[in-house]
Amino acid sequence: MKFVRFLLLCFLAVCLLCFTAILLLPRVNEKNIIRLPSKAISEYADFFAAKFSHAYGNEEANIKAVGSSRKQSVPAGLLAPQNGELNLRNVSNVDREFEELLRNVNDQDEENSKESLEGTNQEASTETGILKYDELSCKPYNHIAFLKTHKTGSSTLTNILNRYADLRELIIALPMRHLYRFGWPNYFHWSSVDLWRLNGKPASVLCNHARYRRPLMDVVLHSDTKFITILRDPVYQFESTFNYMELYRFLRLTNYSNPLEVFLTNPRGYLRNLARTETPFPESMHLVRNGMFFDLGLAPLAQDNDEEILNAIKKIEHEFTLVLMMEYFDESLVLLKREFCWDLDDVIYIKQNERKVGTDTSKKVLSLQLKEKIRAWNKADVLLYDHFNKTFWEKIKQHGRGFYKDLEDLRRKNREMYHDCVSPEEVTETAFRLTGKIRGFKLNEGVSRFNKYLCQKLLRNEIDYINYFREKLHPYSEYQKQLRAAGRAPPLEQAAGNIITNRIKAMRVRLLNSTGIRGVQSQPSRQTVQDISQRVQSAAQNVRVVPKRAQVAAQNERLQNAAQNVRVVP
Ligand SMILES: Nc1ncnc2c1ncn2[C@@H]1O[C@H](COP(=O)(O)OS(=O)(=O)O)[C@@H](OP(=O)(O)O)[C@H]1O
């Protein structure tokens, strides 16, 4: 009896529990304490079952399932379940959900990257006319000449090119003897190049200051050399030149608090004064107007002639593969990397030649009015810069989104290298023996062993690099001997194989031919030039003598005849 009562109590307790559960569960569900996505769970179960069945041989079902997830075009009806088969309709639904989810994420990524693109550069937002760029299959291009303009970030770029030549054992053109420029401010001439270190072969890289004159540069370079240069907003390029090069000293404006402003009140007047008092004209004063165009070869007299300026711009566009922009230095380097199929590591850099703050020559704040005056005074450079600023963004547009991935990677690598290479200790330097103070760098004592070698090269300035190359490229240096022994450097020059001497001879012959002397191409020997100049002289004499003699003889004859006639007639 007791046992029956116990059973009854248990039954009542279970009923009470069930009743409470029935009452409470919907409330729990409502409060989202427990979610029971039964439909989703069953769909996932089907989906995994499909995968599972594939792993054990249901190939066809899986192909359909995968097909449904990859190709949206497969109609859902095709995946309807057959008797006894897995519920593939559900599988495809789930796949579609995944796909949908992925698409949303991708779309969102694209939206985000679009936004960031628009943020950085409005012009690069369309995808039309994208260049094909395949980093893995393209071949690095090793023949490059950099026309190094002044105060444009060009020393940083020169470090990149020096490093490229250095690490790949490329031959680089060096200025003659103890010099650091190729005869600048004169136009480039091959005689300003250290031909001995070129060992008769054209240089692969040229990257120190020079004034552009293409035909004479071609004498020392490979015929397929690509030329590049860099420009900077003329307002800041001029400010940097004027202060860093201390042009105000030559102009005797040191007593003024803002010499640049004073100079621009009457620039021609100040220059006339200078021309009267200073002989010879100080070298750096060649940059006092349109400095970038001066480096790019435009004659100062042409700087006021719009037609000549536009023609010169067209010529540069035609002859240069890339015109980089200092304000977009990183973008410029990514363009360089892609155009020449280089590695991203080739274009990492540490900013060189930056003026120190708090010195006489440091950056000055410019009023709007002064900026306008600088623009007006450097009109040719403004036209040059504006033109190439446009074409620059057009080039970037052709590279599509991959460009911005490279840009991000470059910036990240630059930060990493700076952190590892550079000592926090402040260093001040002077370049080109000028008094202007620039920021220098000291190798970080704690640099990683892995990066040390590269860091040393990254921090080497232009002058140190030239001195280093002078030793490295000395034909009889131990280094060159070893390179030659390993077949990694050309054998020592043989007279017949001296490409540069032959080019110079041919050029001279062409020059003399253009003066009208014929028949000299067949003998381009050492004697040629002397022979030709002698012939030119004697030809010139003959031109004067022969007609005279003929005239005298003819006159004599006439006189004699006349005399005879005179005698005969009486
Ligand atoms: N990467 C990068 N980005 C932006 N700016 C840079 C960069 N590298 C150099 N610079 C600035 O370029 C100026 C020095 O130019 P150069 O190296 O051409 O000078 S020089 O002609 O060789 O003396 C100098 O400008 P100023 O400081 O205004 O004089 C440098 O600060």
Side-chain angles (χ1 to χ4, degrees):
M1 199 54 201
K2 268 186 189 172
F3 181 68
V4 174
R5 237 186 275 154
F6 172 72
L7 277 180
L8 207 68
L9 269 171
C10 284
F11 177 72
L12 280 172
V14 170
C15 284
L16 196 71
L17 271 172
C18 288
F19 184 70
T20 327
I22 288 164
L23 277 177
L24 279 179
L25 263 179
R27 306 251 333 132
V28 170
N29 230 345
E30 229 171 69
K31 287 191 175 179
N32 291 334
I33 295 170
I34 300 172
R35 280 194 171 274
L36 294 173
S38 52
K39 188 167 167 268
I41 282 178
S42 69
E43 280 175 348
Y44 277 90
D46 287 344
F47 176 73
F48 286 116
K51 298 276 173 207
F52 182 80
S53 68
H54 160 63
Y56 287 89
N58 193 350
E59 214 47 84
E60 204 188 324
N62 187 64
I63 290 165
K64 284 177 184 171
V66 171
S68 76
S69 72
R70 294 238 174 94
K71 286 188 210 157
Q72 264 207 313
S73 55
V74 180
L78 280 182
L79 302 172
Q82 303 293 310
N83 280 348
E85 272 189 14
L86 285 159
N87 184 352
L88 288 175
R89 188 181 53 78
N90 283 345
V91 170
S92 68
N93 281 346
V94 175
D95 269 1
R96 262 199 292 278
E97 273 172 34
F98 266 114
E99 203 176 69
E100 201 67 21
L101 192 77
L102 276 176
R103 208 176 320 119
N104 282 344
V105 171
N106 288 342
D107 285 349
Q108 209 143 23
D109 278 351
E110 263 181 31
E111 268 322 300
N112 289 346
S113 69
K114 247 190 231 164
E115 264 170 34
S116 73
L117 283 187
E118 277 159 13
T120 49
N121 166 30
Q122 286 283 345
E123 287 107 319
S125 60
T126 62
E127 284 279 291
T128 47
I130 302 295
L131 274 181
K132 274 217 169 110
Y133 172 72
D134 184 353
E135 195 165 354
L136 296 177
S137 66
C138 65
K139 199 170 160 279
Y141 202 85
N142 289 345
H143 299 160
I144 180 166
F146 170 45
L147 199 288
K148 189 175 188 296
T149 44
H150 281 85
K151 308 318 293 175
T152 53
S154 63
S155 302
T156 310
L157 207 52
T158 287
N159 173 274
I160 290 171
L161 300 184
N162 278 332
R163 231 170 51 222
Y164 190 82
D166 187 12
L167 296 173
R168 282 171 178 71
E169 306 303 348
L170 301 177
I171 307 269
I172 187 162
L174 296 173
M176 270 300 264
R177 289 185 212 103
H178 55 280
L179 302 174
Y180 298 102
R181 299 180 297 199
F182 294 109
W184 191 95
N186 294 316
Y187 278 111
F188 183 91
H189 192 274
W190 50 261
S191 61
S192 63
V193 180
D194 184 342
L195 296 181
W196 193 57
R197 282 181 172 77
L198 287 187
N199 186 25
K201 307 281 182 300
S204 295
V205 177
L206 184 150
C207 60
N208 293 106
H209 283 300
R211 189 157 181 232
Y212 187 55
R213 188 157 61 163
R214 185 58 180 268
L216 292 194
M217 293 179 121
D218 287 343
V219 170
V220 295
L221 295 166
H222 288 277
S223 52
D224 58 353
T225 297
K226 288 187 182 181
F227 276 69
I228 65 165
T229 190
I230 185 164
L231 303 176
R232 178 183 188 179
D233 182 332
V235 169
Y236 300 101
Q237 191 273 345
F238 182 75
E239 185 278 327
S240 175
T241 304
F242 193 86
N243 287 310
Y244 179 76
M245 306 252 177
E246 299 182 330
L247 301 190
Y248 50 83
R249 285 192 193 282
F250 304 116
L251 296 162
R252 299 182 210 294
L253 293 170
T254 36
N255 290 336
Y256 293 90
S257 63
N258 194 345
L260 181 52
E261 191 157 30
V262 179
F263 169 66
L264 288 177
T265 54
N266 181 14
R268 287 175 205 274
Y270 280 105
L271 289 177
R272 262 195 302 272
N273 280 347
L274 177 74
R276 266 200 295 270
T277 52
E278 289 267 347
T279 41
F281 202 59
E283 279 186 358
S284 44
M285 282 303 287
H286 288 92
L287 299 171
V288 76
R289 192 180 181 211
N290 297 310
M292 295 185 287
F293 235 145
F294 178 83
D295 289 334
L296 283 162
L298 188 70
L301 280 178
Q303 292 180 1
D304 285 313
N305 182 331
D306 282 3
E307 201 185 324
E308 289 206 47
I309 294 171
L310 293 181
N311 284 340
I313 290 175
K314 265 190 221 152
K315 192 164 169 274
I316 293 168
E317 181 156 299
H318 178 67
E319 294 177 1
F320 282 72
T321 303
L322 279 181
V323 176
L324 309 175
M325 297 278 128
M326 194 196 97
E327 285 73 19
Y328 309 101
F329 204 78
D330 294 345
E331 285 85 348
S332 295
L333 295 182
V334 173
L335 265 189
L336 177 71
K337 174 238 173 203
R338 289 176 152 239
E339 185 72 40
F340 284 76
C341 187
W342 290 2
D343 282 343
L344 210 55
D345 284 353
D346 293 326
V347 295
I348 54 178
Y349 68 91
I350 285 170
K351 195 171 175 177
Q352 304 238 352
N353 259 4
E354 187 177 10
R355 270 177 296 165
K356 293 269 290 186
V357 279
T359 68
D360 285 357
T361 55
S362 58
K363 261 182 208 169
K364 304 285 180 293
V365 180
L366 305 169
S367 66
L368 277 179
Q369 234 179 354
L370 192 51
K371 282 184 190 170
E372 268 322 302
K373 277 189 180 169
I374 297 177
R375 289 183 165 274
W377 173 241
N378 294 284
K379 188 181 153 205
D381 269 5
V382 170
L383 290 173
L384 177 74
Y385 180 82
D386 287 352
H387 176 86
F388 285 105
N389 195 12
K390 259 189 236 132
T391 56
F392 179 80
W393 291 109
E394 280 159 15
K395 276 223 158 83
I396 288 185
K397 218 193 281 179
Q398 293 171 358
H399 281 265
R401 297 198 193 294
F403 181 93
Y404 287 90
K405 167 82 179 60
D406 280 353
L407 187 61
E408 209 177 281
D409 288 347
L410 174 65
R411 288 183 172 153
R412 183 179 39 76
K413 285 192 175 192
N414 275 338
R415 280 194 299 273
E416 286 168 7
M417 288 309 284
Y418 188 92
H419 183 74
D420 202 16
C421 298
V422 179
S423 156
E425 197 181 318
E426 280 253 315
V427 184
T428 305
E429 269 187 30
T430 56
F432 286 113
R433 294 180 297 279
L434 293 167
T435 51
K437 301 281 183 291
I438 52 167
R439 203 168 153 217
F441 299 101
K442 222 180 135 196
L443 186 68
N444 179 13
E445 280 174 13
V447 60
S448 64
R449 277 179 60 201
F450 183 73
N451 281 336
K452 189 172 177 185
Y453 184 67
L454 183 57
C455 287
Q456 283 167 340
K457 296 194 182 293
L458 263 168
L459 297 183
R460 190 167 274 155
N461 70 29
E462 175 183 356
I463 291 176
D464 290 345
Y465 236 129
I466 291 178
N467 292 333
Y468 161 87
F469 273 129
R470 282 197 173 124
E471 289 202 2
K472 182 181 171 181
L473 296 179
H474 190 294
Y476 297 107
S477 69
E478 207 40 52
Y479 190 80
Q480 288 301 315
K481 278 184 199 163
Q482 284 184 18
L483 278 184
R484 280 197 295 273
R488 293 182 64 200
L492 276 184
E493 174 209 330
Q494 287 153 3
N498 192 328
I499 300 171
I500 295 183
T501 316
N502 289 341
R503 281 180 183 174
I504 293 169
K505 279 179 192 164
M507 183 171 242
R508 281 180 170 156
V509 169
R510 239 181 290 134
L511 243 157
L512 286 162
N513 277 346
S514 69
T515 62
I517 311 298
R518 306 247 172 263
V520 283
Q521 278 120 321
S522 54
Q523 35 178 312
S525 70
R526 272 196 170 201
Q527 273 311 102
T528 309
V529 179
Q530 286 173 7
D531 288 354
I532 293 166
S533 44
Q534 272 172 7
R535 271 198 258 164
V536 173
Q537 280 172 4
S538 58
Q541 279 167 4
N542 287 341
V543 170
R544 259 181 275 120
V545 173
V546 173
K548 259 191 184 171
R549 274 189 192 153
Q551 275 171 3
V552 172
Q555 212 173 357
N556 284 343
E557 211 175 316
R558 257 185 277 131
L559 279 172
Q560 277 172 7
N561 284 341
Q564 278 169 9
N565 288 341
V566 171
R567 258 185 266 127
V568 171
V569 173

